């Protein structure tokens, strides 16, 4: 694909009618770059600062324990505002929410780089999370507008590859930057990229093709209840995960936050059930294939979280690998995701999404079980191919599952479906973290029983998610495909 000068890039609005079923070329390519580059920025900043926390603590004269809030502030802001911003996209346009998200993210990145104290940095990170939430909330809805229906599976698969690659690349990019510059540059690199996304997106991103539902309303009380529910559940789960072996008294704050979050959630859900177009998309959850896709996603991401946190314990404590060796071995998983997600994009439309997801999650369950059953002294190759099998299975599940979530919702509720993609992922990760905390509290790390039990539980969750995915097959039919790229 040749890139023309900026003034020659066509605006999406200059293309008549194709926006009703995706953009034509070359507008689709430019819009794809704007969406995927923005997603890369938001995904990278989820993990890119982890490596810099000791340096930040030293420069800002604060304790290492307090710096964990630099990560939490970003994640809590995303989770708390994902659904409100997705509904806002239904009301005022996904393009507008996305571009505002890019602008806030970019300006907040500058504020992060210039922060003189930890308090200012935390506030800036929260604003950065608000911007990232705008990107994530409408990402899938924009992909649905950009791609023709016959090619949407490939667009969703490419989106999965971008997210997986960004998650993998975060620590490596952070290490490269910190090897030549100080930690503020982790945020300053966002400025030119954010400006590119903002300028390109303004020219090429399509506008909504369906009017918002007449009964849709975004009310402040719902936003507050949504933020309180997800924020308290996240922080409670995080507190428990950070203190897996602690005494019952020290776990009390985490339990209290979880309980408060669930109580607020009960009030929130009861209120949402009375609305014709709820911000928490209960109307979409009444669609059987959508609800099954949510269950599939939550189970899969819970399994992934359990495994991702248990694997370092297994490799470092049980099998005696160094940090470098463990890191290199674990990269076999995301590498498998990247490869299989690209293949899955070609299979979407030829086979039912539920079948692809069931096969992928069955492979994930098998890989996790084989990891739990490793011998006492495995060679690196034995570990690597099992991890690669997990990644291949996860990649085969993710793209078809996301495709079903996006396409099973009415066009005017694409924002709600897009927000639920991220919400299901984060819900699964929270559940996996809480389950792992319980496992680590009840078992021993030193004899290897804790990480192996976690992997067995992860395999069980993946198998359950595979069953949910298989239940969708009778409701789905392969779609006619198109051979053009």
């Amino acid at each position: 694909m040749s890139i023309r000068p900026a003034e020659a890039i066509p605006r999406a609005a200059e293309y008549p009618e194709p926006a009703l079923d995706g953009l034509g070329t070359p507008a689709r390519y430019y819009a794809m770059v704007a969406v995927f580059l923005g997603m890369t920025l938001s995904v990278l900043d989820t993990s890119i600062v982890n490596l810099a926390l000791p340096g930040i603590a030293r420069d800002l004269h604060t304790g290492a324990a307090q710096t964990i809030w630099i990560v939490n502030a970003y994640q809590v802001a995303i989770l708390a505002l994902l659904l409100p911003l997705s509904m806002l996209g239904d009301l005022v346009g996904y393009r507008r929410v996305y571009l505002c998200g890019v602008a806030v993210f970019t300006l907040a990145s500058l504020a992060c780089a210039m922060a003189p104290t930890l308090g200012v940095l935390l506030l800036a990170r929260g604003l950065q999370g608000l911007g990232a939430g705008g990107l994530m909330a409408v990402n899938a809805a924009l992909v649905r507008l950009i791609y023709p229906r016959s090619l949407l599976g490939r667009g969703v698969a490419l989106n999965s590859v971008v997210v997986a690659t960004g998650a993998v690349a975060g620590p490596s990019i952070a290490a490269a930057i910190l090897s030549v510059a100080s930690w503020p540059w982790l945020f300053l690199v966002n400025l030119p990229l954010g400006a590119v996304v903002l300028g390109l997106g303004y020219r090429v991103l399509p506008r909504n093709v369906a009017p918002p539902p007449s009964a849709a309303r975004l009310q402040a009380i719902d936003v507050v209840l949504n933020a309180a529910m997800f924020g308290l559940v996240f922080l409670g789960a995080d507190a428990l995960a950070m203190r897996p072996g602690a005494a019952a008294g020290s776990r009390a704050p985490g339990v209290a936050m979880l309980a408060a979050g669930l109580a607020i959630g009960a009030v929130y859900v009861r209120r949402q059930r009375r609305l014709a177009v709820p911000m928490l998309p209960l109307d979409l959850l009444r669609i059987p294939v959508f609800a099954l896709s949510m269950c599939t996603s939550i189970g899969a991401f819970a399994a992934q979280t359990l495994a991702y946190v248990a694997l370092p314990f297994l490799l470092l404590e049980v099998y005696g690998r160094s940090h470098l060796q463990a890191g290199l071995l674990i990269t076999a998983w995301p590498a498998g995701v990247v490869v299989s997600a690209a293949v899955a994009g070609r299979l979407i439309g030829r086979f039912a999404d539920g079948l692809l997801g069931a096969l992928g999650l069955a492979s994930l369950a098998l890989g996790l079980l084989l990891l739990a059953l490793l011998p006492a002294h495995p060679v690196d190759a034995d570990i690597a191919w099992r991890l690669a099998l997990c990644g291949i299975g996860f990649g085969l599940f993710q793209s078809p599952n996301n495709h079903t979530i996006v396409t099973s919702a009415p066009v005017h509720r694409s924002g709600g479906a897009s927000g639920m993609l991220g919400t299901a992922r984060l819900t699964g990760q929270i559940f996996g973290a809480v389950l792992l905390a319980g496992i680590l509290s009840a078992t021993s790390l030193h004899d290897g029983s804790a990480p192996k039990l976690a992997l067995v539980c992860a395999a069980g969750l993946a198998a359950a998610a595979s069953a949910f995915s298989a239940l969708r097959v009778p409701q789905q039919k392969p779609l006619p495909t198109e051979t053009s790229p």
Side-chain angles (χ1 to χ4, degrees):
M1 179 183 71
S2 60
I3 302 296
R4 294 182 284 174
E7 63 273 11
I9 297 175
R11 296 177 187 270
E14 293 175 1
Y15 289 87
E17 296 312 307
L20 295 175
D21 188 27
L23 300 177
T25 57
R28 183 166 71 242
Y29 298 138
Y30 291 117
M32 179 177 68
V33 170
V35 169
F36 291 169
L37 185 56
M39 273 302 289
T40 300
L41 285 173
S42 61
V43 171
L44 279 176
D45 270 66
T46 301
S47 60
I48 198 171
V49 300
N50 291 351
L51 209 60
L53 293 181
I56 294 174
R58 182 179 61 253
D59 291 351
L60 298 184
H61 309 290
T62 188
Q66 284 71 43
T67 60
I68 193 63
W69 285 98
I70 299 171
V71 177
N72 285 348
Y74 184 79
Q75 293 178 323
V76 169
I78 293 174
L79 182 58
L81 295 170
L82 204 55
L83 289 179
L85 290 171
S86 67
M87 188 169 192
L88 189 62
D90 284 334
L91 294 173
V92 305
Y94 312 128
R95 176 180 180 272
R96 185 174 297 174
V97 171
Y98 189 85
L99 293 176
C100 288
V102 174
V104 171
F105 180 89
T106 305
L107 291 173
S109 296
L110 177 61
C112 288
M114 300 177 65
T117 64
L118 179 64
V120 174
L121 179 57
L122 293 180
L123 178 60
R125 278 289 280 176
L127 290 173
Q128 198 183 34
L130 168 61
L135 297 173
M136 295 182 182
V138 299
N139 167 257
L142 280 172
V143 172
R144 186 177 188 180
L145 291 181
I146 291 167
Y147 278 86
R149 188 168 183 264
S150 57
L151 295 176
L152 182 57
R154 299 186 191 182
V156 172
L158 279 172
N159 199 48
S160 299
V161 170
V162 167
V163 172
T165 304
V168 175
S172 300
I173 292 176
I177 293 173
L178 292 173
S179 67
V180 297
S182 57
W183 64 264
W185 283 95
L186 295 175
F187 303 107
L188 291 174
V189 296
N190 294 333
L191 302 186
L193 293 176
V196 169
V197 176
L198 195 60
L200 183 61
Y202 181 79
R203 297 182 67 86
V204 302
L205 290 179
R207 292 174 172 83
N208 291 25
V209 297
S214 58
R217 299 287 186 276
L218 189 61
Q219 301 185 51
I221 182 61
D222 293 322
V223 175
V224 171
L225 288 173
N226 182 83
M229 177 185 71
F230 282 113
L232 286 169
V233 169
F234 174 90
L235 294 174
D238 184 72
L240 292 176
M242 293 294 291
R243 299 173 179 83
S250 63
R251 295 198 302 269
V255 173
M257 284 188 286
L258 266 179
L262 294 174
I264 292 173
V267 175
Y268 175 48
V269 170
R270 185 174 180 179
R271 174 180 167 82
Q272 292 288 295
R273 289 179 64 182
R274 299 197 299 264
L275 302 178
V277 184
M279 188 173 70
L280 179 66
L282 301 176
D283 55 328
L284 298 182
L285 292 173
R286 297 188 187 102
I287 303 172
V289 70
F290 189 92
L292 287 170
S293 300
M294 287 292 104
C295 293
T296 301
S297 190
I298 291 170
F301 281 102
Q304 183 197 49
T305 299
L306 265 176
Y308 261 29
V309 182
L311 281 170
F313 289 114
L314 183 71
L315 297 176
L316 297 171
E317 302 291 333
V318 180
Y319 295 133
R321 298 303 196 271
S322 67
H323 284 82
L324 177 61
Q325 290 171 324
L328 291 173
L329 286 171
I330 290 174
T331 56
W333 182 314
V337 172
V338 170
V339 171
S340 63
V343 174
R346 298 282 178 174
L347 298 178
I348 293 173
R350 301 180 184 180
F351 302 95
D353 291 347
L355 176 62
L356 295 175
L359 292 175
L361 289 168
S363 300
L364 173 62
L366 177 61
L368 291 169
L369 188 59
L370 291 173
L371 283 168
L373 297 176
L374 277 167
H377 303 286
V379 298
D380 287 349
D382 286 339
I383 301 172
W385 75 258
R386 287 168 168 83
L387 288 167
L389 178 61
C390 291
I392 289 170
F394 195 86
L396 185 58
F397 134 79
Q398 191 172 17
S399 298
N401 194 69
N402 290 355
H403 178 260
T404 296
I405 292 171
V406 171
T407 57
S408 60
V411 174
H412 64 270
R413 291 288 279 144
S414 294
S418 183
M420 286 298 280
L421 272 176
T423 302
R425 180 182 74 250
L426 293 167
T427 301
Q429 290 169 346
I430 290 171
F431 178 72
V434 172
L435 182 57
L436 181 66
I439 291 172
L440 294 179
S441 298
T443 54
S444 172
L445 274 175
H446 303 293
D447 62 2
S449 59
K452 291 189 175 184
L453 177 58
L455 289 171
V456 170
C457 291
L461 287 169
S466 178
F468 281 120
S469 185
L471 290 173
R472 299 178 296 176
V473 175
Q475 306 174 49
Q476 296 177 319
K477 294 181 180 179
L479 300 171
T481 58
E482 187 176 300
T483 57
S484 62

